[in-house]
Amino acid sequence: MSISRRNLLAAGVGAGLLTACGGNTGRGGGGSGPRLSQWYHQYGEPGTEQAVQRYAAAFKKAHVTVQWRPGNYDQQTAAALLTDSGPDVFEVNGPTLDQIQGGQVVDLTGLLAGVEDDFNPAVLTPKTYDGRIWAVPQVIDTQLLYYRKSLLKDAGVEPPTTLDGLVDAAGALTTGKVKGLFLGNDGGAGVLGGTPLYAAGLQLVTDEGDVGFDDPAAARTLGKLHRLYAGRSLLLGAPTDWSDPSALVQGLTAMQWSGLWALPQVQKELGDDFGVLPFPGDGPQGRPAVPVGAYGAAVSARGGHREAAEEYVKWLWVDRTDYQQDFALSYGFHIPARISLARKAARLRKGAAADVVRFTTDHGYAQPLLWTPASQTAYQDALSRIIRDGADPDRELKAVVGKVSGELGRVKKNAKKNAKKKS
């Protein structure tokens, strides 16, 4: 199974059994020093595996072997970090609080000395805990709303700038053969995640570490997503899901939620007949919302060559800006994690790509580090019931707030225990 960077942005980590697949499929690095093992999840973009092998081979201070890991990568790495046979260096969708608090990953703050401000804060912040940086962001992936200019013009519909406007536009654009909006084959429950909450001016977790959506605005906003579903203006049962732009380019829908990675294909198929938008704001405190994510390079605390591993991470993801730009833009379409590289990239300086960079800079948010898997599952299940079944948003969210509050309390308690151990 081929897994793309885009899966990072889908809400939640899919359940599955821990697999032992993967193995040593990469050639070793050119160095004659310590032997380092580096893990990546299996990307879907052609050429990515060959690129990371090439980077590893260019590092002369260690012999780096790349492992390309298919299957449920997050579960594989979580299990491997508890053993002595795991990777020295690995990319991670996180790391998680449990991994940080459990001392499974190395503090990498010093690697970014002098360049920390050049990393986009939207993706660096979720990798920062207790004032320390635990992984170096590699690229930025983001989601956005694509729309067909010609279909909106023919229907006399303006590109929506509010959630109410999106609901109305989806209805007006729905005809016998074309649906107004595609949010995925499940109606949006799987991909939207916390985006509607941020669009309502709320958060998943506040900066103080409390529940960020214990507010009537949350129920009001999520209820409007059910209006989309119940109004039959959503495309359901498309041949491909939200991450593939085929529904938009084939004329099955006038608007589609997808990712930045889809932009080259959309541009090739539609030319200038498309535009992009952030998820529109809702309510008096509303604001546009752009979900972003980034895998990061981390170092295992149980690795046998931690100093060499840290030096390799700094060389690849801090010093070698040429490799960083190549990784972001030569295999698929992504934004470099470094602000300076994003500004230099010619492919990101005009048209829809420039709009996406601006939206990401102005409205980007990442899933907070304190948002645990248990919180994610509780919220995701409730969101699905609200959208598809018309469940009462107030009742559903009340239960979620209780679950998330308990999770945040557990996290704070663990943090106090760790602080006492250090003292």
Side-chain angles (χ1 to χ4, degrees), residues 292-304:
V292 300
Y295 270 99
V299 173
S300 171
R302 298 186 70 144

PDB file of all heavy atoms in Angstrom, residues 292-304:
ATOM      1  N   VAL A 292      -2.719  22.735   8.410  1.00  0.00           N
ATOM      2  CA  VAL A 292      -1.386  22.407   7.918  1.00  0.00           C
ATOM      3  C   VAL A 292      -0.803  21.275   8.757  1.00  0.00           C
ATOM      4  O   VAL A 292      -1.214  21.042   9.898  1.00  0.00           O
ATOM      5  CB  VAL A 292      -0.424  23.617   7.951  1.00  0.00           C
ATOM      6  CG1 VAL A 292      -0.949  24.747   7.095  1.00  0.00           C
ATOM      7  CG2 VAL A 292      -0.211  24.100   9.385  1.00  0.00           C
ATOM      8  N   GLY A 293       0.149  20.584   8.186  1.00  0.00           N
ATOM      9  CA  GLY A 293       0.829  19.511   8.894  1.00  0.00           C
ATOM     10  C   GLY A 293       2.227  19.351   8.356  1.00  0.00           C
ATOM     11  O   GLY A 293       2.541  19.822   7.259  1.00  0.00           O
ATOM     12  N   ALA A 294       3.066  18.697   9.127  1.00  0.00           N
ATOM     13  CA  ALA A 294       4.443  18.485   8.687  1.00  0.00           C
ATOM     14  C   ALA A 294       5.037  17.284   9.405  1.00  0.00           C
ATOM     15  O   ALA A 294       5.043  17.245  10.640  1.00  0.00           O
ATOM     16  CB  ALA A 294       5.301  19.720   8.966  1.00  0.00           C
ATOM     17  N   TYR A 295       5.505  16.328   8.636  1.00  0.00           N
ATOM     18  CA  TYR A 295       6.361  15.314   9.237  1.00  0.00           C
ATOM     19  C   TYR A 295       7.664  16.001   9.647  1.00  0.00           C
ATOM     20  O   TYR A 295       8.096  16.972   9.025  1.00  0.00           O
ATOM     21  CB  TYR A 295       6.659  14.194   8.247  1.00  0.00           C
ATOM     22  CG  TYR A 295       5.660  13.058   8.288  1.00  0.00           C
ATOM     23  CD1 TYR A 295       4.634  12.975   7.356  1.00  0.00           C
ATOM     24  CD2 TYR A 295       5.744  12.081   9.279  1.00  0.00           C
ATOM     25  CE1 TYR A 295       3.716  11.943   7.400  1.00  0.00           C
ATOM     26  CE2 TYR A 295       4.825  11.049   9.328  1.00  0.00           C
ATOM     27  CZ  TYR A 295       3.812  10.968   8.393  1.00  0.00           C
ATOM     28  OH  TYR A 295       2.898   9.951   8.443  1.00  0.00           O
ATOM     29  N   GLY A 296       8.263  15.488  10.717  1.00  0.00           N
ATOM     30  CA  GLY A 296       9.514  16.049  11.182  1.00  0.00           C
ATOM     31  C   GLY A 296      10.553  14.971  11.371  1.00  0.00           C
ATOM     32  O   GLY A 296      10.224  13.786  11.527  1.00  0.00           O
ATOM     33  N   ALA A 297      11.817  15.361  11.352  1.00  0.00           N
ATOM     34  CA  ALA A 297      12.915  14.434  11.596  1.00  0.00           C
ATOM     35  C   ALA A 297      13.223  14.437  13.092  1.00  0.00           C
ATOM     36  O   ALA A 297      13.465  15.485  13.688  1.00  0.00           O
ATOM     37  CB  ALA A 297      14.144  14.839  10.802  1.00  0.00           C
ATOM     38  N   ALA A 298      13.223  13.245  13.695  1.00  0.00           N
ATOM     39  CA  ALA A 298      13.478  13.102  15.126  1.00  0.00           C
ATOM     40  C   ALA A 298      14.600  12.097  15.348  1.00  0.00           C
ATOM     41  O   ALA A 298      14.961  11.330  14.451  1.00  0.00           O
ATOM     42  CB  ALA A 298      12.209  12.654  15.848  1.00  0.00           C
ATOM     43  N   VAL A 299      15.135  12.093  16.558  1.00  0.00           N
ATOM     44  CA  VAL A 299      16.227  11.187  16.928  1.00  0.00           C
ATOM     45  C   VAL A 299      15.774  10.337  18.103  1.00  0.00           C
ATOM     46  O   VAL A 299      15.259  10.866  19.105  1.00  0.00           O
ATOM     47  CB  VAL A 299      17.495  11.977  17.301  1.00  0.00           C
ATOM     48  CG1 VAL A 299      18.581  11.043  17.849  1.00  0.00           C
ATOM     49  CG2 VAL A 299      18.023  12.740  16.088  1.00  0.00           C
ATOM     50  N   SER A 300      15.951   9.028  18.001  1.00  0.00           N
ATOM     51  CA  SER A 300      15.573   8.107  19.071  1.00  0.00           C
ATOM     52  C   SER A 300      16.551   8.212  20.235  1.00  0.00           C
ATOM     53  O   SER A 300      17.774   8.216  20.046  1.00  0.00           O
ATOM     54  CB  SER A 300      15.541   6.670  18.552  1.00  0.00           C
ATOM     55  OG  SER A 300      15.388   5.756  19.622  1.00  0.00           O
ATOM     56  N   ALA A 301      16.012   8.266  21.436  1.00  0.00           N
ATOM     57  CA  ALA A 301      16.857   8.326  22.629  1.00  0.00           C
ATOM     58  C   ALA A 301      17.557   7.000  22.903  1.00  0.00           C
ATOM     59  O   ALA A 301      18.525   6.947  23.666  1.00  0.00           O
ATOM     60  CB  ALA A 301      16.016   8.725  23.842  1.00  0.00           C
ATOM     61  N   ARG A 302      17.089   5.902  22.282  1.00  0.00           N
ATOM     62  CA  ARG A 302      17.697   4.591  22.507  1.00  0.00           C
ATOM     63  C   ARG A 302      18.704   4.232  21.429  1.00  0.00           C
ATOM     64  O   ARG A 302      19.266   3.132  21.447  1.00  0.00           O
ATOM     65  CB  ARG A 302      16.612   3.518  22.583  1.00  0.00           C
ATOM     66  CG  ARG A 302      15.643   3.731  23.733  1.00  0.00           C
ATOM     67  CD  ARG A 302      14.667   2.590  23.892  1.00  0.00           C
ATOM     68  NE  ARG A 302      15.331   1.386  24.377  1.00  0.00           N
ATOM     69  CZ  ARG A 302      14.776   0.512  25.225  1.00  0.00           C
ATOM     70  NH1 ARG A 302      13.559   0.744  25.698  1.00  0.00           N
ATOM     71  NH2 ARG A 302      15.415  -0.564  25.602  1.00  0.00           N
ATOM     72  N   GLY A 303      18.917   5.131  20.475  1.00  0.00           N
ATOM     73  CA  GLY A 303      19.899   4.869  19.426  1.00  0.00           C
ATOM     74  C   GLY A 303      21.308   4.810  19.991  1.00  0.00           C
ATOM     75  O   GLY A 303      21.639   5.481  20.974  1.00  0.00           O
ATOM     76  N   GLY A 304      22.142   4.027  19.342  1.00  0.00           N
ATOM     77  CA  GLY A 304      23.502   3.849  19.832  1.00  0.00           C
ATOM     78  C   GLY A 304      24.458   4.960  19.460  1.00  0.00           C
ATOM     79  O   GLY A 304      25.581   5.014  19.981  1.00  0.00           O
TER      80      GLY A 304
END
